Amino acid sequence: GAGVSQTPSNKVTEKGKYVELRCDPISGHTALYWYRQSLGQGPEFLIYFQGTGAADDSGLPNDRFFAVRPEGSVSTLKIQRTERGDSAVYLCASSLTLAGDGYTFGSGTRLTVV
Amino acid sequence: GENVEQHPSTLSVQEGDSAVIKCTYSDSASNYFPWYKQELGKRPQLIIDIRSNVGEKKDQRIAVTLNKTAKHFSLHITETQPEDSAVYFCAASKGSNYKLTFGKGTLLTVNP
């Protein structure tokens, strides 16, 4: 596609529920990143994929958060037993490995846990 | 890990004036420093970046300077326009395709 696509754009869920957030990167981009942005803050790194494997998941806050990228393209961020503190905008970005072009961010999914 | 501090948190200027936003970083291994512009409700967009083998880079009204010794880099916007109003984030990483550590952002308001 022309850009990084994230769905849904908005998600409201009840505390304790499970949610999945989807990211469709730019075609051919092998590196994919998930960030979380709370109100008034800069994006915070969650996880980075190179191809199908998670190269660095050091930013995932706890074991309720998990992400997959089974075919090296689309990625899904999964959050179990959601808490109100999980409310934020979840941003996905992709880049061409070793191209030095930097990231292209998607428009994000605004998650609200009530 | 890396820590990026950004100042000021808010900046208000008159149209046509210059704006300067400053960032410091803690990890001397960082070598890639992008700047992002984020309008309200929109995605962050890369506006300029600099690598550690360069001291300054310009793109029309925007310039970035880097002082590796001091671990300090700055964004300079000249001849500001109302459409420059947004939140600007600096970031640092150990390579242009690795995780970024962002500053907390600067809300720039350009008054007509």
Side-chain angles (χ1 to χ4, degrees), chain A residues 18-38:
Chain A
Y18 168 82
V19 296
E20 290 189 352
L21 311 179
R22 176 188 168 107
C23 173
D24 199 341
I26 293 173
S27 178
H29 280 195
T30 57
L32 184 146
Y33 312 80
W34 283 99
Y35 283 77
R36 178 168 72 172
Q37 187 173 25
S38 300

Side-chain angles (χ1 to χ4, degrees), chain B residues 34-54:
Chain B
W35 286 87
Y36 285 82
K37 176 183 179 182
Q38 188 174 33
E39 297 175 5
L40 188 63
K42 302 285 182 65
R43 64 188 177 94
Q45 291 193 290
L46 178 69
I47 56 171
I48 195 167
D49 57 13
I50 192 168
R51 290 172 174 80
S52 59
N53 58 345
V54 174

Side-chain angles (χ1 to χ4, degrees), chain B residues 18-102:
Chain B
S18 295
V20 180
I21 302 170
K22 299 181 179 182
C23 289
T24 60
Y25 61 99
S26 61
D27 190 342
S28 57
S30 290
N31 58 14
Y32 176 66
F33 307 93
W35 286 87
Y36 285 82
K37 176 183 179 182
Q38 188 174 33
E39 297 175 5
L40 188 63
K42 302 285 182 65
R43 64 188 177 94
Q45 291 193 290
L46 178 69
I47 56 171
I48 195 167
D49 57 13
I50 192 168
R51 290 172 174 80
S52 59
N53 58 345
V54 174
E56 182 175 2
K57 183 176 178 180
K58 282 186 178 180
D59 183 3
Q60 299 183 348
R61 298 185 296 109
I62 294 173
V64 58
T65 59
L66 171 65
N67 182 329
K68 285 177 57 180
T69 303
K71 295 205 281 279
H72 169 278
F73 58 113
S74 300
L75 178 71
H76 304 252
I77 306 174
T78 58
E79 300 171 27
T80 53
Q81 301 167 2
E83 50 265 40
D84 294 330
S85 297
V87 178
Y88 290 80
F89 292 98
C90 63
S93 82
K94 296 177 186 176
S96 61
N97 290 300
Y98 193 56
K99 65 182 178 183
L100 294 173
T101 300
F102 283 83

